[in-house]
């Protein structure tokens, strides 16, 4: 899902990974609440967060719960432990737990071919289609380019169905060979949700409520369609503009079901996320019957290596990193960690487990918080893995700010403030109707004294065409829809129509804005 921009490099091998899983220093004494308060307050102040909910587990027990801020900045409605947040990609572990339940029930196997359940499933390559197993949907190693096809999921709302997404996969060219490397994607988790539905004969949303929420007592977690006012206490996303946190997308009274739910569409409150975490750290006998020890092991075992970043090596002395089924895992200061993050526009989360110690933490944020999440996660984690660490929130925040500045220098985005609207006459050779095989129809047509870009199935992918130097770009109309995109026109040749390709104006922009995977072909004139 919409994810970090940091670069990573691979190190080590699977044998080291498995060995690292057995590491674990002696248990630290329970920390006083004021220690956690100090960390949380410092992060909130540094990044001026609109709202946050934080919980810490030690020895399998919740020892700290804290909330700060408001559901909507300036509203006076305080965040509570029962405030619902979008957990984004933390939904993936719930989807894989559902699949694990179905494996326990004998309704599917991890090595079953996807086409056994979804006969119309197709990847770009026929051999990959035939050999794609249920397990391959979960490890980000399918060949799909990073974030490939995410524009069918976000921005929301849009008109793409899960059937559209499954059909669109056949048109997305691979970025690498099948099972050869890790490249994060979201679409195949949508496919996994449909596999679960086909195997059980019930919709994904029904299965999630019946097989995961209800047995574990996750009574406020929501998926599918629900009523905002009936449920109540819902955090809304914010974007940072200057010194202010601005509401970006307030929910209406009826929350619609969304195609992206298996990949990142679940909402939960802090209380339920802590209950979810404890199920993994210190399961009760009833929870061990809910999901077998064997399937718990499978979900949180390494299945695909992930490159280890320089930052992780420097900060955490990490040697190895991997992806399980809906979980990441790595060694941190000699302790084994199992974790995931969640990112949607204006919503950030993290769930961290130290299973050998039965420790962990969860936090949920309703604002722009990529750096805040990194710093808060690091500061909390060090209390467990390196309690004598002398670095505080300010040190980690300053170090991260410096690293981000260096990365921006290496791949600097152009200053687009001087871009000017393009008049229809100046773009007359290129205006018209276009079509991409998976994103669908595009209208690039005059609108008064400007040229407007509008994707039919994704209404927020619309904006005016601007010129910067000798290039055209589309500047999105909706605030928070960064990054803008370059438009590159290619003339008709050899009897073939003109085409349009795109690229992020900011080369470090969110990989879910996968404009580079689009290939529009001109289909006709503007109305």
């Amino acid at each position: 899902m919409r994810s970090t921009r940091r670069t990573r490099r691979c190190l080590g091998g699977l044998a080291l990974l498995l060995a690292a899983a057995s590491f674990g220093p002696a248990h630290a004494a329970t920390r006083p609440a004021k220690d956690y308060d100090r960390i949380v307050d410092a992060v909130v102040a540094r990044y001026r967060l609109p709202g946050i909910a934080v919980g810490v587990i030690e020895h399998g027990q919740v020892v700290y719960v804290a909330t700060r801020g408001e559901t909507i900045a300036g509203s006076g409605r305080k965040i509570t432990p029962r405030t619902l947040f979008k957990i984004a990609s933390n939904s993936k572990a719930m989807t894989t737990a559902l699949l694990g339940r179905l494996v326990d029930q004998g309704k599917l196997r991890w090595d079953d071919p996807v086409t056994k359940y979804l006969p119309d499933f197709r990847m770009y390559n026929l051999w990959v289609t035939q050999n794609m197993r249920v397990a391959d949907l979960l490890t980000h190693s399918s060949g799909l380019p990073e974030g490939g096809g995410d524009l069918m999921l976000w921005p929301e709302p849009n008109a793409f169905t899960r059937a559209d997404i499954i059909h669109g996969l056949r048109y997305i060219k691979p970025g690498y060979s099948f099972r050869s490397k890790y490249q994060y994607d979201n679409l195949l988790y949508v496919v996994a949700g449909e596999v679960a539905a086909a195997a059980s004969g019930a919709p994904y949303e029904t299965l999630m409520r019946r097989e995961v929420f209800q047995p574990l007592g996750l009574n406020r977690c929501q998926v599918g369609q629900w009523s905002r006012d009936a449920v109540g206490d819902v955090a809304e996303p914010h974007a940072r503009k200057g010194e202010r946190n601005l509401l970006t997308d307030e929910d209406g009274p009826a929350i619609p079901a969304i195609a992206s739910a298996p990949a990142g569409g679940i909402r939960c409150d802090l209380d339920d996320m802590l209950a979810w975490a404890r199920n993994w750290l210190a399961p009760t006998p009833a929870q061990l019957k809910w999901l077998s020890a064997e399937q718990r092991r499978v979900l949180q075992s390494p299945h695909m290596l992930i490159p280890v970043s320089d930052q992780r090596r420097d900060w955490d002395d990490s040697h190895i990193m991997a992806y399980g089924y809906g979980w990441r895992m790595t060694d941190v200061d000699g302790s084994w960690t199992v974790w995931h993050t969640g990112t949607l526009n204006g919503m950030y989360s993290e769930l961290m487990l130290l299973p050998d110690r039965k420790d962990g933490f969860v936090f949920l944020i309703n604002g722009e918080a990529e750096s805040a999440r990194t710093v808060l996660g690091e500061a909390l984690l060090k209390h467990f893995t390196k309690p004598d660490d002398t670095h505080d929130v300010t040190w980690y925040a300053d170090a991260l700010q410096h690293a981000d500045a260096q990365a921006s220098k290496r791949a600097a985005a152009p200053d687009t403030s001087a871009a000017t609207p393009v008049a229809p006459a100046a773009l007359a050779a290129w205006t018209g109707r276009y079509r991409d095989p998976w994103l669908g129809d595009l209208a690039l047509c005059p609108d008064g004294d400007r040229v407007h870009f509008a994707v039919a199935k994704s209404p927020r992918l619309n904006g005016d065409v601007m010129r910067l130097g000798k290039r055209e770009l589309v500047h999105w109309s909706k605030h928070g829809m960064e990054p803008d995109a370059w438009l590159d026109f290619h003339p008709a040749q050899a009897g073939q129509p003109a085409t349009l390709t795109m690229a992020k104006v900011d080369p470090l922009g969110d990989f879910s804005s996968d404009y580079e995977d689009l290939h529009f072909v001109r289909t006709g004139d503007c109305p």
Side-chain angles (χ1 to χ4, degrees), residues 42-43 46-47 311 314-316 375 378-379 382 386 389-403:
V43 171
R46 173 70 179 244
Y47 295 102
Q311 179 177 297
D314 293 343
W315 287 12
D316 297 335
V375 171
E378 191 69 18
K382 290 301 183 187
K386 197 175 181 180
D389 181 36
T390 58
H391 299 139
D392 60 7
V393 164
T394 298
W395 187 94
Y396 285 114
D398 288 347
L400 187 61
Q401 183 176 357
H402 176 76

Side-chain angles (χ1 to χ4, degrees), residues 238-251:
H238 294 75
R240 190 79 186 164
K241 188 170 184 180
E243 297 300 308
R244 301 174 60 200
N245 287 301
L246 298 181
L247 179 67
T248 56
D249 296 298
E250 185 173 6
D251 290 309

Side-chain angles (χ1 to χ4, degrees), residues 274-499:
L274 286 167
W276 170 246
R278 290 184 67 206
N279 158 72
W280 299 104
L281 292 172
T284 65
Q287 289 169 343
L288 287 172
K289 290 181 180 178
W290 168 76
L291 187 66
S292 68
E294 171 63 15
Q295 296 313 316
R296 289 169 180 269
R297 183 192 64 78
V298 168
L299 297 182
Q300 295 189 349
S301 291
H303 295 286
M304 173 53 58
L305 289 175
I306 302 175
V308 180
S309 69
D310 290 339
Q311 179 177 297
R312 286 195 174 277
R313 274 194 290 272
D314 293 343
W315 287 12
D316 297 335
D317 193 28
S318 295
H319 299 82
I320 206 74
M321 188 172 174
Y323 206 86
Y325 294 164
W327 297 95
R328 298 185 184 103
M329 49 209 70
T330 190
D331 60 306
V332 176
D333 304 317
S335 290
W336 190 237
T337 65
V338 177
W339 53 282
H340 215 287
T341 55
T343 306
L344 280 169
N345 285 340
M347 287 275 181
Y348 285 75
S349 61
E350 182 169 322
L351 170 59
M352 174 66 68
L353 308 175
L354 292 91
D356 295 336
R357 310 159 53 112
K358 299 184 180 181
D359 295 335
F361 57 82
V362 180
F363 58 83
L364 309 162
I365 303 172
N366 65 331
E368 284 187 10
E370 182 174 337
S371 295
R373 179 177 62 195
T374 300
V375 171
L376 178 56
E378 191 69 18
L380 290 174
L381 185 56
K382 290 301 183 187
H383 268 268
F384 296 110
T385 66
K386 197 175 181 180
D388 58 349
D389 181 36
T390 58
H391 299 139
D392 60 7
V393 164
T394 298
W395 187 94
Y396 285 114
D398 288 347
L400 187 61
Q401 183 176 357
H402 176 76
D404 287 346
Q406 294 303 308
S408 295
K409 286 181 181 178
R410 291 192 294 270
D415 180 1
T416 60
S417 61
T420 56
V422 176
L427 209 62
W430 303 112
T431 54
R433 290 177 289 117
Y434 291 78
R435 182 170 180 79
D436 175 81
W438 57 267
L439 193 65
D441 293 324
L442 161 69
L444 190 69
C445 295
D447 182 14
D449 61 351
R450 302 189 178 204
V451 176
H452 198 68
F453 178 110
V455 173
K457 280 194 170 184
S458 188
R460 293 197 176 184
L461 285 178
N462 79 88
D464 289 332
V465 178
M466 314 288 283
R467 178 163 290 141
L468 183 67
K470 296 182 179 181
R471 297 187 72 179
E472 281 77 35
L473 61 90
V474 57
H475 176 62
W476 306 116
S477 299
K478 177 71 175 178
H479 180 73
M481 274 294 297
E482 295 85 6
D484 290 339
W486 294 119
L487 302 176
D488 294 311
F489 298 97
H490 312 282
Q493 54 183 338
Q496 299 299 312
T499 60

Side-chain angles (χ1 to χ4, degrees), residues 3-334:
S3 184
T4 180
R5 307 187 307 174
R6 314 251 190 285
T7 57
R8 311 175 181 94
R9 290 190 297 154
C10 188
L11 182 71
L14 190 57
L16 177 58
L17 176 60
L18 296 172
S22 64
F23 293 169
H27 229 302
T30 298
R31 296 280 173 178
K34 64 182 180 181
D35 285 358
Y36 294 122
D37 280 336
R38 188 179 304 116
I39 293 171
V40 172
D41 290 339
V43 171
V44 170
R46 173 70 179 244
Y47 295 102
R48 301 179 184 179
L49 301 177
I52 188 171
V54 186
V56 178
I57 297 169
E58 297 182 6
H59 315 285
Q61 300 298 317
V62 176
V63 299
Y64 176 80
V65 171
T67 61
R68 305 284 190 273
E70 301 167 310
T71 60
I72 298 176
S75 69
R77 297 198 293 270
K78 299 297 184 182
I79 299 286
T80 76
R82 290 176 55 81
T83 300
L84 286 181
F85 288 78
K86 296 177 181 180
I87 66 170
S89 282
N90 275 302
S91 305
K92 289 181 169 68
M94 293 187 175
T95 295
T96 61
L98 168 60
L99 291 168
R101 285 270 291 171
L102 299 183
V103 173
D104 273 344
Q105 295 166 9
K107 294 180 179 179
L108 63 78
R109 294 169 55 91
W110 295 116
D111 59 358
D112 281 342
V114 175
T115 52
K116 175 180 177 179
Y117 304 97
L118 304 174
D120 292 334
F121 172 79
R122 298 286 186 278
M123 297 294 284
Y124 190 85
N125 181 283
L126 177 60
W127 187 91
V128 173
T129 300
Q130 295 171 338
N131 287 274
M132 183 79 73
R133 306 165 303 160
V134 173
D136 292 315
L137 300 173
L138 311 175
T139 58
H140 308 293
S141 58
S142 68
L144 280 179
E146 189 175 37
D150 273 4
L151 290 174
M152 288 190 281
L153 300 180
W154 301 285
E156 294 171 338
N158 63 55
F160 289 100
T161 66
R162 289 175 190 158
D164 291 333
I165 291 165
I166 292 172
H167 183 79
L169 281 166
R170 68 195 64 192
Y171 302 113
I172 302 176
K173 295 181 180 179
Y176 57 97
S177 59
F178 185 40
R179 298 179 186 153
S180 67
K181 62 187 293 187
Y182 170 91
Q183 289 280 276
Y184 196 87
D185 78 81
N186 291 291
L187 295 194
L188 293 183
Y189 269 79
V190 175
V191 177
E194 291 302 277
V195 166
S200 287
Y204 168 83
E205 288 79 6
T206 299
L207 292 172
M208 183 55 63
R209 297 187 194 103
R210 186 181 77 201
E211 301 291 337
V212 179
F213 295 171
Q214 291 175 10
L216 294 181
L218 309 182
N219 297 321
R220 280 184 55 77
C221 287
Q222 301 293 324
V223 67
Q225 186 174 346
W226 50 283
S227 168
R228 177 198 64 190
D229 297 332
V231 172
D233 200 359
V234 180
E236 304 290 359
H238 294 75
R240 190 79 186 164
K241 188 170 184 180
E243 297 300 308
R244 301 174 60 200
N245 287 301
L246 298 181
L247 179 67
T248 56
D249 296 298
E250 185 173 6
D251 290 309
I255 310 300
I258 53 176
S260 63
I266 293 173
R267 302 198 205 191
C268 293
D269 66 15
L270 178 63
D271 285 345
D272 281 354
M273 289 300 288
L274 286 167
W276 170 246
R278 290 184 67 206
N279 158 72
W280 299 104
L281 292 172
T284 65
Q287 289 169 343
L288 287 172
K289 290 181 180 178
W290 168 76
L291 187 66
S292 68
E294 171 63 15
Q295 296 313 316
R296 289 169 180 269
R297 183 192 64 78
V298 168
L299 297 182
Q300 295 189 349
S301 291
H303 295 286
M304 173 53 58
L305 289 175
I306 302 175
V308 180
S309 69
D310 290 339
Q311 179 177 297
R312 286 195 174 277
R313 274 194 290 272
D314 293 343
W315 287 12
D316 297 335
D317 193 28
S318 295
H319 299 82
I320 206 74
M321 188 172 174
Y323 206 86
Y325 294 164
W327 297 95
R328 298 185 184 103
M329 49 209 70
T330 190
D331 60 306
V332 176
D333 304 317

